[in-house]
Amino acid sequence: MKSIYITVIFTVLCSSLLQLTQGNACCSYPCQNQGICNTKGFDSYTCDCTGLDYYGDNCEHPTLWKRFVLLIKPSPEGLHHLLVNNKWLWTLINNISYLKNKAMKRIYTMRSIMVDSPAVYESVHEYPTLEAALNYTYFARTLPPVPTECPTPLGVKGKKVLPDVDLLVDKFFKRTTFLPDPLGSSVLFTFFAQHFTHQFFKTDFKAGPAYQWGGHGVDVSHIYGRDKQSELTLRSMKDGKMKMQVLNGEEFPPYLKDAPVHMIYPPGTPDNKQFALGQQVFGLLPGLFVYATIWLREHNRVCDVLKQEHPEWDDERLFQTAKLIITGETIKIVIEDYVQHLSNYHYKLSFNPELLFGEEFQYQNRITIEFNHLYHWHPLMPDEFNISGTVYPIKDFVFQSDLVIKHGMKSFVDSFSKQRAGMMSHHNHCYMTLSVVRDTIKHGRELRLQSLNRYRQRFGLPAYKSFQELTGETKMAAELEELYGDIDGLEFYVGLIVEKRREKAMFGSSIVEIGGPYSVKGLMSNPICSPKFWKPSTFGGEVGFNLIKTASIQKLFCQNIKGECPTVSFQVPNYVEGDVEDFIKKFHDEL
Ligand code: HEM
Ligand SMILES: *[C@@H]1O[C@H](CO)[C@@H](O)[C@H](O)[C@H]1NC(C)=O
Ligand SMILES: *[C@@H]1O[C@H](CO)[C@@H](O)[C@H](O)[C@H]1NC(C)=O
Ligand SMILES: *[C@@H]1O[C@H](CO)[C@@H](O)[C@H](O)[C@H]1NC(C)=O
């Protein structure tokens, strides 16, 4: 009797010890093709293949139909190759509206279908919760956290302890030589990226990296303020317009003392360098101040246009309608100028909400933590800024919004258009942004983000088989292998940065194939794109509707800067395709 007792206790002890060392049965990610793993008791699991074109214990078998689809479907790599080459083919397609629209509809649907809507996961539970879908204080999440009890930080693969963050930053992130972007992107592009995305990437650092304080999409809160109170403070309450002031003969945002909203400036910043802007961090860089200024000028210009059409409208209606138009112009410019540039496709992208009418599509959006991390494009920042011949090292640029007033908008826009952005790669973070990388990696760990390979598979990309395949070289690959032990044990953000670049592209395949879906979904799910909004009357009639349909980055600046138009471009004017490839290759060889 006693011995049975002891045996039982011994077995229980052993199995719980085993539990401690082996985690749970889902830690090895046995379910394939997006099957959902669920533990079943302490040492077993099941895969839920519902809604997938796969069946079997591990969702490993494609259905007959799926087999056929897989056979004829081009690979993401093949499709990319097709899109950045064959100019003649795309010129033809661009010119046949039937084909052009068919292609665009496909891009909208194939990209956005990759994003869960409503959201299923957030970062504090490892399984679906109603909170994920309904509680906006969380960033949503595409893949749930790695279970806490797993034997390694990324499941069962890789080392038990992840590499030291400072070591990683030193070895793979720190810039020694400025590496220019191979597509010739300009600094105007860089600041557009930062300005536009900070309306929805708003981590609540006090609460922790799982939480955020934004509105989960393109809500133009970076122009109008975080809440109603701020918006009312920034409005002039006359003719729908926003508060502005004239400095050096140009219109600029008001000083903070004249429109007290919450802004972040270092202590001791003089009053004439403190402006009231829609986003609390936009005092950080003059580039953000340039965009804040131009959008306010555009808003007030739109108000004038609307007032001409509708002298009967009051301040409130002019304001609200102008805000809708600014939202539309933003999306138009993001798709047709910004994404067009960064994709480097010969196919001409278009903003056309009507293409989704009648399709299965949810007009709702949630910002995920993965999208946030993936958009940490700090390598795009150069170390210094050349404003009409005066060179400012970055440390003399931060929190100096007043430089824009000194040099003038025209000079700034012209200079930003002519200066080249950095390449989005390893060894290219300027010293000012090294602390951000450190934080990003640490947050990724705290949130237990799954491995890069898991994310690749979730977004229809093949998992990398080796570090060499990931980086496309051998030296870094060997160092990474030493540090991480296993390619399936490589963390998300580090992987994105060390990944080899795609042919004729700004990024590796992961950033594009994972970021693309979030981007398309975020833009096209905007309320103004829905059938009840997307009609002339919403925007004050055909005149307002046309402001959206004809918006461009060129017009945004030229219509709001007096006199001769500056150079306005997301690509530097002297760009020659492939002009820095040799320079980059030499740098890599010398690593
Ligand atoms: C020199 C220029 C820049 C500086 C000094 C800078 C600095 C920072 C800092 C201090 C944070 C706060 C978070 C942290 O420490 O984890 C941050 C967050 C972030 N930055 Fe930058 N940044 C710069 C440029 C850019 C650019 C060009 C982009 C391009 C899109 C970008 C994207 C982001 C994103 C997405 C976040 C997360 C924001 C959030 O979740 O609240 N940054 N950056
Ligand atoms: C499209 O094709 C028509 C007729 O073939 C031609 O006149 C026009 O210039 C083309 N437009 C573009 C943008 O290629
Ligand atoms: C949303 O989540 C946060 C953080 O857990 C919590 O403080 C808040 O009360 C939740 N809101 C609702 C409406 O449940
Ligand atoms: C700054 O830009 C101007 C052109 O705007 C150029 O002539 C000059 O050489 C640049 N200076 C430096 C130090 O890069």
Side-chain angles (χ1 to χ4, degrees):
M1 190 62 196
K2 210 172 176 187
S3 74
I4 292 179
Y5 226 80
I6 289 172
T7 317
V8 169
I9 290 177
F10 187 72
T11 321
V12 169
L13 256 174
C14 278
S15 64
S16 56
L17 268 178
L18 211 68
Q19 207 56 52
L20 277 178
T21 52
Q22 292 196 337
N24 74 49
C26 288
C27 286
S28 62
Y29 292 108
C31 306
Q32 296 170 37
N33 303 302
Q34 297 186 46
I36 305 296
C37 190
N38 255 311
T39 52
K40 190 162 175 262
F42 286 102
D43 51 8
S44 177
Y45 70 90
T46 55
C47 295
D48 188 343
C49 319
T50 306
L52 304 172
D53 295 322
Y54 293 88
Y55 63 96
D57 285 348
N58 294 327
C59 313
E60 70 275 35
H61 302 300
T63 58
L64 204 59
W65 169 246
K66 188 68 183 181
R67 251 176 245 270
F68 171 71
V69 171
L70 288 174
L71 208 65
I72 59 161
K73 201 179 147 197
S75 70
E77 258 14 78
L79 208 54
H80 175 79
H81 178 81
L82 193 69
L83 280 157
V84 296
N85 292 293
N86 312 292
K87 191 160 183 191
W88 61 271
L89 172 70
W90 296 112
T91 308
L92 193 71
I93 291 176
N94 290 338
N95 200 6
I96 303 171
S97 61
Y98 175 80
L99 291 179
K100 185 175 185 241
N101 287 342
K102 271 265 183 258
M104 202 61 220
K105 185 170 179 163
R106 206 161 162 77
I107 293 175
Y108 288 157
T109 51
M110 296 317 286
R111 287 290 196 198
S112 53
I113 206 165
M114 305 294 279
V115 179
D116 297 338
S117 185
V120 181
Y121 301 108
E122 23 70 10
S123 290
V124 304
H125 300 90
E126 294 158 10
Y127 38 84
T129 60
L130 205 51
E131 284 197 60
L134 300 181
N135 189 331
Y136 274 39
T137 66
Y138 294 105
F139 279 114
R141 215 162 140 152
T142 296
L143 290 177
V146 177
T148 32
E149 67 268 31
C150 292
T152 73
L154 293 158
V156 298
K157 299 289 183 66
K159 303 216 163 157
K160 284 203 164 24
V161 179
L162 287 167
D164 180 65
V165 175
D166 290 322
L167 180 79
L168 286 172
V169 170
D170 231 49
K171 255 181 161 13
F172 303 113
F173 291 86
K174 201 183 252 174
R175 174 184 285 162
T176 49
T177 306
F178 174 74
L179 301 172
D181 170 48
L183 292 189
S185 302
S186 65
V187 170
L188 196 70
F189 173 85
T190 303
F191 283 120
F192 188 97
Q194 193 181 12
H195 180 263
F196 167 70
T197 59
H198 276 59
Q199 72 188 290
F200 47 76
F201 292 138
K202 293 175 165 177
T203 303
D204 183 350
F205 289 105
K206 269 206 201 101
Y211 302 97
Q212 64 94 46
W213 53 276
H216 284 282
V218 182
D219 57 5
V220 287
S221 60
H222 61 326
I223 301 171
Y224 299 96
R226 62 180 296 167
D227 51 28
K228 191 85 181 172
Q229 184 56 45
S230 313
E231 185 174 280
L232 288 169
T233 310
L234 293 169
R235 281 172 63 174
S236 75
M237 309 312 278
K238 191 166 181 305
D239 295 339
K241 293 188 176 181
M242 304 296 286
K243 278 183 191 158
M244 295 284 265
Q245 60 175 333
V246 175
L247 296 168
N248 254 357
E250 286 193 88
E251 283 204 296
F252 286 105
Y255 286 131
L256 189 54
K257 62 178 167 54
D258 300 327
V261 290
H262 182 247
M263 290 296 296
I264 298 171
Y265 288 101
T269 307
D271 278 0
N272 69 348
K273 293 185 187 221
Q274 294 200 34
F275 293 87
L277 308 170
Q279 225 279 23
Q280 62 189 29
V281 302
F282 282 1
L284 177 68
L285 288 154
L288 298 169
F289 185 75
V290 164
Y291 277 105
T293 301
I294 210 70
W295 279 115
L296 285 186
R297 290 186 190 176
E298 176 66 2
H299 173 94
N300 285 359
R301 190 187 73 86
V302 169
C303 286
D304 286 336
V305 173
L306 286 175
K307 188 165 170 148
Q308 188 104 48
E309 288 289 303
H310 295 285
E312 76 282 14
W313 280 7
D314 63 359
D315 166 70
E316 180 69 9
R317 186 150 192 193
L318 289 166
F319 169 78
Q320 295 294 352
T321 307
K323 188 173 174 181
L324 285 168
I325 293 173
I326 294 298
T327 308
E329 290 185 354
T330 300
I331 301 173
K332 171 87 174 173
I333 291 171
V334 168
I335 294 176
E336 298 194 8
D337 290 314
Y338 171 81
V339 178
Q340 183 73 58
H341 167 75
L342 74 84
S343 73
N344 203 25
Y345 295 161
H346 291 307
Y347 171 68
K348 223 169 147 338
L349 300 169
S350 55
F351 173 44
N352 185 354
E354 283 156 43
L355 295 176
L356 280 171
F357 295 178
E359 294 294 303
E360 252 182 69
F361 184 77
Q362 296 274 335
Y363 290 95
Q364 58 165 313
N365 189 54
R366 291 294 299 278
I367 298 299
T368 63
I369 191 66
E370 294 97 337
F371 192 29
N372 179 323
H373 278 216
L374 174 150
Y375 232 119
H376 278 62
W377 292 358
H378 296 88
L380 265 58
M381 274 294 161
D383 304 284
E384 57 187 33
F385 297 88
N386 178 349
I387 309 300
S388 304
T390 310
V391 177
Y392 296 94
I394 194 160
K395 70 169 174 29
D396 298 338
F397 214 53
V398 294
F399 292 111
Q400 310 296 327
S401 300
D402 59 318
L403 287 176
V404 183
I405 291 137
K406 184 178 155 202
H407 289 275
M409 281 287 278
K410 191 170 156 179
S411 179
F412 254 82
V413 173
D414 200 74
S415 300
F416 280 171
S417 296
K418 291 175 179 166
Q419 184 175 343
R420 199 142 170 165
M423 168 163 77
M424 181 61 192
S425 92
H426 52 86
H427 295 98
N428 211 20
H429 272 78
C430 80
Y431 70 94
M432 288 278 295
T433 60
L434 292 178
S435 66
V436 189
V437 192
R438 278 188 204 105
D439 288 347
T440 311
I441 299 173
K442 283 180 195 157
H443 292 156
R445 292 177 183 184
E446 190 179 333
L447 299 171
R448 288 177 286 128
L449 288 187
Q450 295 189 25
S451 69
L452 176 71
N453 263 347
R454 288 280 303 157
Y455 278 103
R456 283 180 62 82
Q457 290 175 302
R458 170 61 178 76
F459 284 89
L461 293 166
Y464 283 121
K465 292 187 188 62
S466 67
F467 285 97
Q468 282 97 313
E469 193 190 4
L470 164 78
T471 64
E473 49 78 82
T474 53
K475 182 154 178 293
M476 277 199 313
E479 291 174 331
L480 287 161
E481 178 141 29
E482 162 108 28
L483 289 166
Y484 282 98
D486 193 313
I487 186 72
D488 291 325
L490 176 63
E491 27 189 0
F492 183 61
Y493 189 67
V494 176
L496 293 176
I497 294 284
V498 299
E499 186 177 34
K500 62 179 182 277
R501 213 159 25 91
R502 258 180 171 172
E503 172 193 11
K504 301 185 187 176
M506 231 167 131
F507 312 102
S509 58
S510 303
I511 290 187
V512 175
E513 301 294 327
I514 301 171
Y518 294 131
S519 164
V520 170
K521 173 71 180 174
L523 293 162
M524 299 310 295
S525 68
N526 192 280
I528 69 155
C529 300
S530 67
K532 295 291 175 182
F533 270 85
W534 189 251
K535 47 181 79 172
S537 49
T538 304
F539 308 100
E542 287 294 347
V543 171
F545 208 17
N546 278 330
L547 288 176
I548 297 177
K549 289 179 175 173
T550 61
S552 71
I553 192 71
Q554 176 82 26
K555 281 171 74 178
L556 176 67
F557 282 107
C558 292
Q559 294 186 329
N560 296 297
I561 291 176
K562 284 206 197 91
E564 197 194 331
C565 188
T567 311
V568 179
S569 180
F570 285 154
Q571 190 172 57
V572 292
N574 57 358
Y575 175 69
V576 179
E577 191 179 311
D579 59 358
V580 295
E581 295 292 346
D582 289 345
F583 179 79
I584 292 166
K585 189 174 177 310
K586 189 157 165 282
F587 177 83
H588 284 171
D589 291 346
E590 284 168 6
L591 266 182

Coordinates of all heavy atoms in Angstrom, one line a residue, residues 39-94:
T39 N -4.1 22.6 -26.3 CA -3.6 21.5 -25.5 C -4.8 20.7 -25.1 O -5.9 21.1 -25.1 CB -2.9 22.0 -24.2 OG1 -3.8 22.9 -23.6 CG2 -1.6 22.7 -24.5
K40 N -4.5 19.4 -24.9 CA -5.6 18.4 -24.5 C -5.0 17.7 -23.3 O -4.2 16.8 -23.5 CB -5.9 17.5 -25.7 CG -7.1 16.7 -25.5 CD -7.6 16.2 -26.9 CE -8.8 15.2 -26.7 NZ -8.3 13.8 -26.7
G41 N -5.4 18.0 -22.1 CA -4.7 17.5 -21.0 C -3.3 18.1 -20.9 O -3.0 19.1 -21.6
F42 N -2.4 17.4 -20.1 CA -1.1 18.0 -19.9 C -0.1 17.6 -21.0 O 1.0 18.3 -21.1 CB -0.6 17.6 -18.5 CG -1.3 18.4 -17.4 CD1 -2.3 17.8 -16.7 CD2 -1.0 19.7 -17.2 CE1 -3.0 18.5 -15.7 CE2 -1.7 20.4 -16.2 CZ -2.7 19.8 -15.5
D43 N -0.3 16.6 -21.7 CA 0.7 16.2 -22.6 C 0.3 15.9 -24.0 O 1.0 15.2 -24.8 CB 1.4 14.9 -22.0 CG 0.4 13.8 -21.7 OD1 -0.8 14.0 -22.0 OD2 0.8 12.9 -21.0
S44 N -0.9 16.4 -24.4 CA -1.4 16.1 -25.7 C -2.0 17.4 -26.3 O -2.1 18.4 -25.7 CB -2.4 15.0 -25.6 OG -3.0 14.7 -26.8
Y45 N -2.3 17.3 -27.6 CA -2.8 18.5 -28.3 C -3.8 18.1 -29.4 O -3.8 16.9 -29.8 CB -1.7 19.3 -28.9 CG -1.0 18.7 -30.1 CD1 -1.5 18.9 -31.4 CD2 0.1 17.8 -29.9 CE1 -0.9 18.3 -32.5 CE2 0.7 17.2 -31.0 CZ 0.2 17.4 -32.3 OH 0.7 16.8 -33.4
T46 N -4.6 19.0 -29.9 CA -5.4 18.8 -31.1 C -5.1 20.0 -32.0 O -4.8 21.1 -31.5 CB -6.9 18.7 -30.8 OG1 -7.3 19.9 -30.1 CG2 -7.2 17.5 -30.0
C47 N -5.3 19.8 -33.3 CA -5.3 21.0 -34.2 C -6.7 21.3 -34.8 O -7.3 20.3 -35.2 CB -4.3 20.6 -35.4 SG -2.6 20.4 -34.9
D48 N -7.0 22.5 -34.7 CA -8.3 22.9 -35.3 C -8.1 23.4 -36.7 O -7.5 24.5 -36.9 CB -8.9 24.0 -34.4 CG -10.4 24.3 -34.8 OD1 -10.8 23.9 -35.9 OD2 -11.1 24.9 -34.0
C49 N -8.6 22.7 -37.7 CA -8.4 23.0 -39.1 C -9.6 23.7 -39.7 O -9.7 23.9 -40.9 CB -8.0 21.8 -40.0 SG -6.9 20.6 -39.2
T50 N -10.5 24.1 -38.9 CA -11.8 24.7 -39.4 C -11.5 25.9 -40.3 O -10.7 26.8 -40.0 CB -12.6 25.2 -38.2 OG1 -12.8 24.2 -37.3 CG2 -14.0 25.8 -38.7
G51 N -12.2 25.9 -41.5 CA -12.1 27.0 -42.4 C -10.8 27.0 -43.2 O -10.6 27.9 -44.0
L52 N -9.9 26.0 -43.0 CA -8.7 26.0 -43.8 C -8.9 24.9 -45.0 O -9.8 24.1 -44.9 CB -7.5 25.5 -43.0 CG -7.3 26.3 -41.7 CD1 -6.2 25.6 -40.9 CD2 -6.8 27.7 -42.1
D53 N -8.2 25.1 -46.0 CA -8.3 24.1 -47.1 C -7.3 22.9 -46.8 O -6.7 22.4 -47.7 CB -7.9 24.7 -48.4 CG -9.0 25.8 -48.8 OD1 -10.2 25.5 -48.5 OD2 -8.6 26.8 -49.4
Y54 N -7.2 22.6 -45.5 CA -6.3 21.5 -45.1 C -7.0 20.6 -44.1 O -7.9 21.1 -43.4 CB -5.0 22.0 -44.5 CG -4.1 22.8 -45.4 CD1 -4.3 24.2 -45.7 CD2 -3.1 22.1 -46.1 CE1 -3.5 24.8 -46.6 CE2 -2.3 22.8 -47.0 CZ -2.5 24.2 -47.2 OH -1.7 24.8 -48.1
Y55 N -6.7 19.3 -44.0 CA -7.2 18.4 -43.0 C -6.1 17.5 -42.5 O -5.0 17.6 -42.9 CB -8.4 17.6 -43.6 CG -8.0 16.7 -44.7 CD1 -7.7 15.4 -44.5 CD2 -7.9 17.2 -46.1 CE1 -7.3 14.5 -45.5 CE2 -7.5 16.4 -47.1 CZ -7.2 15.0 -46.8 OH -6.8 14.2 -47.8
G56 N -6.5 16.6 -41.6 CA -5.5 15.7 -41.0 C -5.2 16.2 -39.6 O -5.6 17.3 -39.2
D57 N -4.5 15.3 -38.8 CA -4.3 15.6 -37.4 C -3.5 16.9 -37.2 O -3.8 17.6 -36.2 CB -3.4 14.4 -36.8 CG -4.3 13.2 -36.5 OD1 -5.5 13.3 -36.6 OD2 -3.7 12.1 -36.3
N58 N -2.6 17.2 -38.1 CA -1.9 18.4 -38.0 C -2.2 19.4 -39.1 O -1.4 20.3 -39.4 CB -0.4 18.1 -38.0 CG 0.1 17.3 -36.8 OD1 -0.5 17.5 -35.7 ND2 1.0 16.4 -37.0
C59 N -3.4 19.3 -39.7 CA -3.8 20.1 -40.8 C -2.8 20.1 -41.9 O -2.5 21.1 -42.5 CB -4.1 21.6 -40.4 SG -5.1 21.8 -38.9
E60 N -2.2 18.9 -42.1 CA -1.1 18.8 -43.0 C -1.5 18.5 -44.5 O -0.7 18.7 -45.4 CB 0.0 17.8 -42.5 CG -0.4 16.4 -42.6 CD -1.2 15.9 -41.3 OE1 -2.0 16.7 -40.8 OE2 -1.1 14.7 -40.9
H61 N -2.7 18.0 -44.7 CA -3.1 17.5 -46.0 C -3.9 18.6 -46.7 O -5.0 18.9 -46.2 CB -3.9 16.2 -45.9 CG -3.1 15.1 -45.3 ND1 -1.9 14.6 -45.8 CD2 -3.4 14.4 -44.2 CE1 -1.5 13.6 -45.0 NE2 -2.4 13.5 -44.0
P62 N -3.5 19.1 -47.9 CA -4.3 20.0 -48.6 C -5.5 19.2 -49.3 O -5.4 18.1 -49.6 CB -3.4 20.5 -49.7 CG -2.2 19.6 -49.7 CD -2.2 18.8 -48.5
T63 N -6.7 19.9 -49.4 CA -7.8 19.3 -50.1 C -7.4 19.2 -51.6 O -6.4 19.9 -52.0 CB -9.0 20.1 -49.9 OG1 -8.8 21.5 -50.4 CG2 -9.5 20.2 -48.5
L64 N -8.2 18.5 -52.3 CA -7.9 18.3 -53.8 C -7.9 19.7 -54.4 O -7.0 20.0 -55.2 CB -9.0 17.5 -54.4 CG -8.6 16.8 -55.7 CD1 -7.4 15.9 -55.4 CD2 -9.7 16.0 -56.3
W65 N -8.8 20.5 -54.1 CA -8.9 21.9 -54.6 C -7.7 22.7 -54.3 O -7.1 23.4 -55.2 CB -10.2 22.5 -54.1 CG -10.3 24.0 -54.5 CD1 -10.3 25.1 -53.6 CD2 -10.4 24.6 -55.8 NE1 -10.3 26.2 -54.2 CE2 -10.4 26.0 -55.6 CE3 -10.5 24.1 -57.1 CZ2 -10.5 26.9 -56.6 CZ3 -10.5 25.0 -58.1 CH2 -10.6 26.4 -57.9
K66 N -7.3 22.6 -53.0 CA -6.1 23.4 -52.6 C -4.9 22.9 -53.3 O -4.0 23.7 -53.7 CB -5.9 23.2 -51.1 CG -4.9 24.1 -50.5 CD -5.3 25.6 -50.5 CE -4.2 26.5 -50.0 NZ -4.6 27.9 -50.1
R67 N -4.8 21.6 -53.6 CA -3.6 21.1 -54.3 C -3.5 21.7 -55.7 O -2.5 22.1 -56.1 CB -3.8 19.6 -54.5 CG -2.9 18.7 -53.7 CD -3.3 17.2 -54.0 NE -3.8 16.7 -52.7 CZ -3.0 16.1 -51.9 NH1 -1.7 15.9 -52.1 NH2 -3.5 15.6 -50.8
F68 N -4.7 21.9 -56.3 CA -4.7 22.5 -57.6 C -4.3 23.9 -57.6 O -3.5 24.4 -58.3 CB -6.2 22.3 -58.2 CG -6.4 23.1 -59.5 CD1 -5.8 22.7 -60.7 CD2 -7.2 24.2 -59.5 CE1 -6.0 23.4 -61.8 CE2 -7.4 24.9 -60.6 CZ -6.8 24.5 -61.8
V69 N -4.9 24.6 -56.6 CA -4.6 26.1 -56.4 C -3.1 26.3 -56.2 O -2.5 27.1 -56.8 CB -5.4 26.7 -55.2 CG1 -4.9 28.1 -54.9 CG2 -6.9 26.7 -55.6
L70 N -2.5 25.4 -55.3 CA -1.1 25.5 -55.0 C -0.2 25.3 -56.3 O 0.8 25.9 -56.4 CB -0.7 24.5 -53.9 CG -1.2 24.8 -52.5 CD1 -0.8 23.6 -51.6 CD2 -0.6 26.1 -52.0
L71 N -0.8 24.5 -57.1 CA 0.0 24.1 -58.4 C 0.1 25.3 -59.3 O 1.1 25.6 -59.9 CB -0.8 23.0 -59.1 CG 0.1 22.0 -59.9 CD1 1.1 21.3 -59.1 CD2 -0.9 21.1 -60.7
I72 N -1.0 26.1 -59.4 CA -1.0 27.2 -60.4 C -0.7 28.5 -59.8 O -0.4 29.5 -60.5 CB -2.4 27.3 -61.1 CG1 -3.5 27.5 -60.2 CG2 -2.6 26.0 -62.0 CD1 -4.8 28.0 -60.8
K73 N -0.8 28.6 -58.4 CA -0.6 29.9 -57.8 C 0.9 30.4 -57.9 O 1.8 29.6 -57.5 CB -1.0 29.8 -56.3 CG -1.3 31.1 -55.6 CD -1.7 30.9 -54.2 CE -1.3 32.0 -53.3 NZ -1.3 31.8 -51.9
P74 N 1.2 31.6 -58.3 CA 2.6 32.1 -58.3 C 3.1 32.2 -56.9 O 2.3 32.6 -56.0 CB 2.5 33.4 -59.1 CG 1.1 33.9 -58.9 CD 0.2 32.7 -58.7
S75 N 4.3 32.0 -56.7 CA 4.9 32.3 -55.3 C 5.0 33.8 -55.1 O 5.1 34.5 -56.0 CB 6.3 31.6 -55.3 OG 7.2 32.4 -56.1
P76 N 5.0 34.2 -53.8 CA 5.2 35.6 -53.6 C 6.5 36.2 -54.2 O 6.5 37.3 -54.7 CB 5.3 35.7 -52.0 CG 4.7 34.5 -51.5 CD 4.9 33.4 -52.6
E77 N 7.5 35.4 -54.3 CA 8.8 35.8 -54.9 C 8.6 36.0 -56.4 O 9.0 37.0 -57.0 CB 9.9 34.8 -54.7 CG 10.9 35.1 -53.6 CD 10.5 36.2 -52.6 OE1 9.7 36.0 -51.7 OE2 11.1 37.3 -52.8
G78 N 7.9 35.1 -57.0 CA 7.6 35.1 -58.5 C 6.7 36.4 -58.8 O 7.0 37.1 -59.8
L79 N 5.7 36.6 -58.0 CA 4.9 37.7 -58.2 C 5.6 39.1 -58.0 O 5.5 40.0 -58.8 CB 3.7 37.7 -57.1 CG 2.4 38.3 -57.5 CD1 1.9 37.7 -58.8 CD2 1.4 38.0 -56.4
H80 N 6.5 39.1 -57.0 CA 7.3 40.3 -56.9 C 8.2 40.6 -58.1 O 8.2 41.7 -58.6 CB 8.1 40.2 -55.6 CG 9.1 41.4 -55.4 ND1 8.7 42.6 -54.9 CD2 10.4 41.5 -55.7 CE1 9.7 43.4 -54.9 NE2 10.8 42.8 -55.4
H81 N 8.8 39.5 -58.5 CA 9.7 39.6 -59.7 C 8.9 40.2 -60.9 O 9.3 41.1 -61.6 CB 10.3 38.2 -60.0 CG 11.1 38.2 -61.3 ND1 12.5 38.7 -61.2 CD2 10.9 37.9 -62.5 CE1 13.0 38.6 -62.4 NE2 12.1 38.1 -63.3
L82 N 7.7 39.6 -61.1 CA 6.8 40.1 -62.2 C 6.5 41.6 -62.1 O 6.5 42.3 -63.1 CB 5.5 39.2 -62.2 CG 4.6 39.3 -63.4 CD1 5.3 38.6 -64.5 CD2 3.3 38.6 -63.0
L83 N 6.2 42.0 -60.8 CA 5.8 43.4 -60.6 C 6.9 44.4 -60.8 O 6.6 45.6 -61.1 CB 5.1 43.5 -59.3 CG 3.7 43.0 -59.2 CD1 3.3 42.6 -57.8 CD2 2.7 44.0 -59.7
V84 N 8.1 44.1 -60.4 CA 9.2 45.1 -60.5 C 10.0 45.0 -61.9 O 10.9 45.7 -62.1 CB 10.2 45.0 -59.3 CG1 9.5 45.3 -58.0 CG2 10.9 43.6 -59.3
N85 N 9.5 44.0 -62.7 CA 10.1 43.9 -64.1 C 9.0 44.1 -65.1 O 7.9 44.5 -64.7 CB 10.9 42.6 -64.2 CG 12.1 42.6 -63.3 OD1 13.1 43.3 -63.6 ND2 12.1 41.8 -62.3
N86 N 9.3 43.7 -66.3 CA 8.2 43.7 -67.4 C 7.5 45.0 -67.5 O 6.2 45.0 -67.5 CB 7.2 42.5 -67.1 CG 8.0 41.2 -66.8 OD1 8.6 40.6 -67.6 ND2 7.9 40.8 -65.5
K87 N 8.2 46.0 -67.6 CA 7.5 47.3 -67.6 C 6.5 47.4 -68.8 O 5.4 48.0 -68.6 CB 8.6 48.4 -67.8 CG 8.0 49.8 -67.6 CD 9.1 50.8 -67.3 CE 8.4 52.2 -67.1 NZ 9.4 53.3 -67.0
W88 N 6.8 46.9 -69.9 CA 5.9 46.9 -71.1 C 4.5 46.3 -70.7 O 3.5 46.9 -71.0 CB 6.5 46.2 -72.3 CG 6.7 44.8 -72.0 CD1 7.9 44.2 -71.5 CD2 5.8 43.7 -72.2 NE1 7.7 42.9 -71.3 CE2 6.4 42.5 -71.8 CE3 4.5 43.6 -72.7 CZ2 5.8 41.3 -71.8 CZ3 3.9 42.4 -72.8 CH2 4.5 41.2 -72.3
L89 N 4.6 45.2 -70.0 CA 3.3 44.5 -69.7 C 2.5 45.4 -68.8 O 1.3 45.5 -69.0 CB 3.7 43.2 -68.9 CG 2.5 42.4 -68.3 CD1 1.6 41.8 -69.4 CD2 3.0 41.3 -67.4
W90 N 3.1 46.0 -67.8 CA 2.4 46.8 -66.8 C 1.9 48.1 -67.5 O 0.8 48.6 -67.1 CB 3.2 47.1 -65.6 CG 3.5 45.8 -64.8 CD1 4.7 45.2 -64.7 CD2 2.5 44.9 -64.2 NE1 4.6 44.0 -64.0 CE2 3.3 43.8 -63.7 CE3 1.1 45.0 -64.0 CZ2 2.6 42.8 -63.0 CZ3 0.5 43.9 -63.3 CH2 1.3 42.8 -62.8
T91 N 2.6 48.6 -68.4 CA 2.2 49.8 -69.0 C 0.9 49.5 -69.8 O -0.1 50.3 -69.8 CB 3.3 50.3 -70.0 OG1 4.5 50.4 -69.3 CG2 2.9 51.7 -70.7
L92 N 0.9 48.4 -70.4 CA -0.3 47.9 -71.1 C -1.5 47.7 -70.1 O -2.6 48.3 -70.3 CB 0.0 46.6 -71.8 CG -1.0 46.1 -72.8 CD1 -0.9 47.0 -74.1 CD2 -0.8 44.7 -73.2
I93 N -1.3 47.0 -69.0 CA -2.3 46.8 -68.1 C -2.8 48.1 -67.4 O -4.0 48.3 -67.3 CB -1.8 45.8 -67.0 CG1 -1.7 44.4 -67.6 CG2 -2.8 45.7 -65.8 CD1 -1.1 43.3 -66.7
N94 N -1.9 49.0 -67.1 CA -2.3 50.3 -66.5 C -3.2 51.0 -67.4 O -3.9 51.9 -67.0 CB -1.0 51.1 -66.3 CG -0.1 50.5 -65.2 OD1 -0.6 49.8 -64.3 ND2 1.1 50.9 -65.2

